[in-house]
Amino acid sequence: MAGQSLIYSNARVKAMENSLLTSEKITRMAYSDSLVDAVKILYESSYGGGMTLDNPYIYTELLKAEEKRVADFVREAMPDKSGLETLLTVNDYHNAKSYLKAKFEKDLDISLMLLPEGNIEPAVIEECIQKEDYSKLPEDMATAIKNIETVAKEGSISPRYIDITLDKAMYKDILAACKKAKVKSVTKYWLANIDFINVSTLLRCKRIDADISFLKENLIAGGEINDYILEGLYKESFDIIAEKLKYTTIGEIIVVGVNEVKSGKALVEYEVLWDNYLLNIFKEERADVFSVAPIAGFYIAKKIEIKMVRMILTCLKNRANLQEIKARLRGFYA
């Protein structure tokens, strides 16, 4: 039965939460004397299912193994049409982007670009793109790829156009799945994510004084903050943007982002608060064994954790300042 399956899956999640890195381990990594010492902490935690590396400097292989392990778990654990499939939809569209870029650009190493299998086997996506037969792909993805293929045949195609076209299709696909699943936490997650992306797009466009047409081209439809509102605010001052948006659901975080850009800073604190906000959506329901929130929360927590680990290891590899690492650390699920 679906209910029993969900309870069983959530019991598995409870056990797997023990694999999340604690704040103590993340702190130890951040303060490690070397990249090698930091990677040893991942070995202690059986990262990637206990995988070890001959060369610690190829740590991305370890992170890819851990990401695959978690994606495989979610794919096995999620009930049908529960909304959880939307979390893996991101991998499908990312892999479609990768195969298209490899098709139009020579000498790209596709192995470095792919994410673990989502809802569709990567080989299926590759075959569809190579044969230009999209019958096995979701409708929104197929339509986007056909559009990209048409533009490519008419002239040159840019990686940015591929990204934008498939991103818009992905969120359309995701929101349709959310509407069918009717799971409030999953829907809230994606609506907030669209708003965060659009606001960061608005702020970055203002930073470089881009034409409003560039902003319109990059905005994603479907968020709680209507894209027409963002377009209308584009020519306003930073103070007015902050004032107009501070009463939205993510208003307090938007104000932080506005102040960072206004001060000439990168969107560091904004992006940290962004991740923390999304994580907390599921954290609030993590004890509800009759909902999909525990599975979703674990997956998002693991994705954020891998992002933090990658950032720490990259900073250590490049001998970055410790303060740069600390400023980018996220909250913890456990």
Side-chain angles (χ1 to χ4, degrees), residues 174-276:
I174 284 172
L175 292 179
C178 287
K179 188 174 182 180
K180 290 178 183 177
K182 298 179 181 178
V183 178
K184 288 184 179 180
S185 58
V186 176
T187 302
K188 182 179 179 181
Y189 171 86
W190 286 115
L191 291 177
N193 204 40
I194 291 171
D195 287 340
F196 278 122
I197 291 169
N198 283 343
V199 170
S200 64
T201 299
L202 169 70
L203 295 177
R204 288 188 168 101
C205 285
K206 276 194 72 69
R207 188 205 299 274
I208 63 173
D209 195 26
D211 189 85
I212 192 169
S213 62
F214 185 78
L215 171 69
K216 291 179 179 180
E217 183 183 350
N218 284 275
L219 289 177
I220 296 166
E224 290 191 329
I225 304 174
N226 194 291
D227 47 340
Y228 292 112
I229 292 175
L230 298 176
E231 291 169 16
L233 287 172
Y234 186 55
K235 294 300 182 181
E236 301 290 352
S237 68
F238 283 118
D239 289 338
I240 291 178
I241 291 172
E243 179 63 28
K244 294 290 186 180
L245 297 179
K246 72 178 182 181
Y247 298 107
T248 61
T249 306
I250 61 168
E252 291 182 5
I253 301 173
I254 292 174
V255 172
V256 170
V258 170
N259 288 335
E260 283 186 304
V261 174
K262 184 180 174 182
S263 303
K265 299 177 183 177
L267 289 171
V268 175
E269 186 179 0
Y270 175 82
E271 292 182 352
V272 169
L273 293 173
W274 171 351
D275 279 343
N276 290 347

